[in-house]
Amino acid sequence: MASVFVVEDDHQIRELAVRALADAGHVVRSEATAMAALQGIVDSAPDVVVLDLGLPDLDGGDLLRMIRAVSDVPVIVATARDDDSEIVRLLDAGADEYVVKPYSGAELEARVRALQRRVQMGGQARTLTVGGIVIDLRARTVEIDGAVATCNRKEFDLLAYLAANAGTVVTREELYAEVWRQPYGGADKTIDVHLSWLRRKLGETAAEPRYLHTVRGVGVKLIAPS
Ligand code: CA
């Protein structure tokens, strides 16, 4: 079971979330404002944060960025805005998972469990090495040819996923599902943008790849340069 921090200003929704999570055996804390929540999250270091986006004192997306500046805690955002671009924006801003309002207590609890399972699985292997790339999954750091490379959250997740599947072609559908946690929508600029950022860090271009090889119409493959 997890320690869960619920940030929600709507009294009824907060009660529903807290009760559902506590009934399932989780240790739950909650706050109704962004500033109190930020302090509470820093103080209590929860396993999972459930974050409402419409808060009275600060936009939830801004709070998400503030949390990300100080913590790698998995965050589930609760949004009433069920559109793809909004969800992509939130996942890029550092959310790990989302629920669309109105959600049921059972649905929220299932998301918390799934996220926790994912985090625990990620903790099993410590490092992945592909050629000169060394990825520390726990510290979430990357070295390329012995030099530390700074990656944002999604770049790291993408590189780690490709490295875990090194030598095999990973499809865009799979990347959407496994890295972005959403169904493939066909408009795949997000993946292309992240791949080109990664290429820059790896010191290569799409025209002259070293590690990242695009298989046209299929996907992308990470392999050590020969
Ligand atoms: Ca709200």
Side-chain angles (χ1 to χ4, degrees), residues 8-10 52-55 101:
E8 171 61 67
D9 65 310
D10 183 299
D52 168 37
L53 290 178
L55 295 169
K101 289 182 174 183

Side-chain angles (χ1 to χ4, degrees), residues 12 26 30 39 56 63 73-74 83 86 89-91 100-101 108 121 136 147-148 156 159 162 164 181 184 193 209 222:
Q12 276 189 326
H26 301 294
S30 67
Q39 189 62 54
L63 177 58
V73 61
D83 64 88
E86 172 66 10
R89 192 181 69 81
L90 292 167
L91 294 170
V100 176
K101 289 182 174 183
L108 180 65
M121 276 169 58
D136 185 324
V148 174
F156 181 89
L159 183 60
L162 291 170
R181 298 278 157 195
Y184 179 63
V193 167
L222 184 79

Side-chain angles (χ1 to χ4, degrees), residues 16-223:
L16 175 144
V18 168
R19 196 166 351 104
L21 294 169
D23 283 353
H26 301 294
V27 177
V28 191
R29 287 190 55 180
S30 67
E31 287 291 353
T33 65
M35 287 338 246
L38 186 62
Q39 189 62 54
I41 289 164
V42 169
D43 290 346
S44 65
D47 297 321
V48 177
V49 171
V50 178
L51 174 61
D52 168 37
L53 290 178
L55 295 169
D57 54 335
L58 193 67
D59 177 69
D62 291 334
L63 177 58
L64 176 59
R65 274 178 282 279
M66 291 166 77
I67 293 170
R68 275 292 158 262
V70 294
S71 167
D72 237 353
V73 61
V75 174
I76 301 172
V77 288
T79 174
R81 293 168 276 183
D82 185 15
D83 64 88
D84 285 353
S85 61
E86 172 66 10
I87 288 164
V88 169
R89 192 181 69 81
L90 292 167
L91 294 170
D92 279 347
D96 297 270
E97 187 58 91
Y98 66 94
V99 280
V100 176
K101 289 182 174 183
Y103 55 78
S104 71
E107 184 185 356
L108 180 65
E109 206 276 319
R111 296 285 167 124
V112 167
R113 251 184 303 126
L115 189 53
Q116 221 195 344
R117 211 163 40 232
R118 229 159 79 201
V119 169
Q120 282 163 359
M121 276 169 58
Q124 278 167 8
R126 284 167 180 275
T127 58
L128 294 168
T129 305
V130 180
I133 308 172
V134 180
I135 302 166
D136 185 324
L137 294 170
R138 294 218 174 144
R140 295 184 65 86
T141 56
V142 178
E143 281 187 13
I144 298 169
D145 297 331
V148 174
T150 50
C151 289
N152 72 28
R153 194 172 175 82
K154 282 299 162 197
E155 284 167 1
F156 181 89
D157 291 346
L158 176 60
L159 183 60
Y161 190 80
L162 291 170
N165 294 281
T168 56
V169 179
V170 178
T171 65
R172 284 164 185 276
E173 288 82 353
E174 196 177 336
L175 289 176
Y176 263 98
E178 296 297 328
V179 178
W180 275 269
R181 298 278 157 195
Q182 59 179 290
Y184 179 63
D188 47 14
K189 282 280 188 291
T190 307
I191 287 179
D192 290 325
V193 167
H194 281 79
L195 285 175
S196 84
W197 286 342
L198 272 185
R199 282 207 167 91
R200 206 174 309 156
K201 278 164 196 174
L202 293 168
E204 63 179 54
T205 61
E208 286 184 63
R210 292 170 65 219
Y211 286 96
L212 275 176
H213 297 261
T214 304
V215 181
R216 197 173 288 278
V218 184
V220 64
K221 173 168 73 171
L222 184 79
I223 50 170

